[in-house]
Amino acid sequence: MTRPARRRLTATALTVVALTAGATACSSGDGTTTATAEDSGTYTVWDPYPQFAKDSDWAKLLDDCGGKAGVTIKRTAFDTSDLTNKALLAAQQDNSPDVLILDNPVVSTLAEAGVLTTTDENKVDTSKADPNLLAAGQADGRTYGTPIGANTLALYYNKDVLKAAGVDVASIKDWASLTAALEKVKKAGKKGITFSAIGTEEGSFQFLPWFWGSGAQLTDLDSAQGVSALSLWNDWLKKGYAPNSVINNTQTTSWQEFASGDYAFAENGTWQLANAEKAGFDYGVLPIPASDGGNAAAPTGGEFVTVPVQGDTGRYTTTRKLVSCLTSTENLYATDTTLSYVAPTAEVQDKQVAENAGLKPWVEAVKAAKGRTSDDLGTTYPKISEQMWKAVQSALSGAESPEDALAKAQSAVK
């Protein structure tokens, strides 16, 4: 393999590094965060799963993949917010890990900063990954990793509340039929729908299915379609179909509202499945409908397995073996079950549904999902997202109309 050109960190990336050099981490090794292997037989892996200790199935899988490749794995686990900054700092010091597992919106940031190799360089096979999921790790026609799993958003519903209101969930096909269902629920004395519209990335994450479901594009926030999406949420609050608390709700507090048993619907993710089983009432899951029918594209969550740039390019051969092991059909099934993820390949998705029919609507939602940085938005996405959540907050609080809020947002992005 030819040696890829060494990349220079961007000024923005270096600023981030300078501000966050004190980030902490959990390690299954000796507690250090250095990425340099102690010898040629040790390969470093950084991941965003500090919840998994040395004796966890995930840590055992890493060790098993290392054993199959004939090397020892030195793993360090960071909180997601710390991992990006540590990765940038390590790259600045020519001290990157061999394998870096990242939240998918961060891939474009590190790719632009010159931290990651492309799959053309590292020869990692991505052919089995669903194209819509793989797109979250692509920029300028290049692919910078492979997804290890995905989660996304859908509508949980309380079957008892809908039954009492005379709502057949099969009738919910689009925004009009969903709104009609909310009206029936309110008339029956129950609460409609809860979601997170907080002024952070969580708020944008939850608004995106409605924004994309209207046919809007992130490059044109104040289009008629985008305004219709924000107007939908705004009207729900005005009519009492959704509570005013959504303005401050995180996805966790929104779930807590739904878990009270009073709400018909909650927009939330696969990560709430375990909590749903404990809720004490019969629930179902419905993909978020698009404005005129069909499933809306919801944003993908989940991580990518990437290969950072190394001075010694001879290491890529073994690194490729590690990545291939971690993302094999057998291991994806076990890992994605542990992480409550939908697998990124059709083969493993079919296996998941065969084992648990309740995952079918989530697989359908993931197949319709879209990466936040797709469409070559890359590092422009965070700027757009910030203006989006500000517009949502402004409209739902009554400070501005949906039209004015989104017009201001579009102007700020430009």
Side-chain angles (χ1 to χ4, degrees), residues 87 116 131 145 147 157 190 208 242 264 273 276:
L116 305 177
Y157 60 89
K190 291 292 186 178
L208 277 172
L273 280 171

Side-chain angles (χ1 to χ4, degrees), residues 158-217:
N158 185 320
K159 293 183 178 180
D160 294 335
V161 171
L162 292 186
K163 183 178 180 180
V167 174
D168 179 3
V169 74
S171 69
I172 299 173
K173 304 288 188 181
D174 51 25
W175 289 2
S177 53
L178 175 57
T179 300
L182 296 177
E183 181 180 7
K184 287 184 178 181
V185 168
K186 184 184 178 187
K187 287 181 177 179
K190 291 292 186 178
K191 299 177 181 179
I193 185 170
T194 180
F195 48 87
S196 169
I198 194 170
T200 68
E201 176 60 23
E202 281 188 77
S204 289
F205 189 75
Q206 291 237 323
F207 182 59
L208 277 172
W210 312 96
F211 184 82
W212 281 332
S214 73
Q217 301 293 321

Side-chain angles (χ1 to χ4, degrees), residues 59-73:
K60 291 175 182 176
L61 173 60
L62 290 174
D63 289 339
D64 182 60
C65 287
K68 290 177 179 177
V71 298
T72 300
I73 296 299

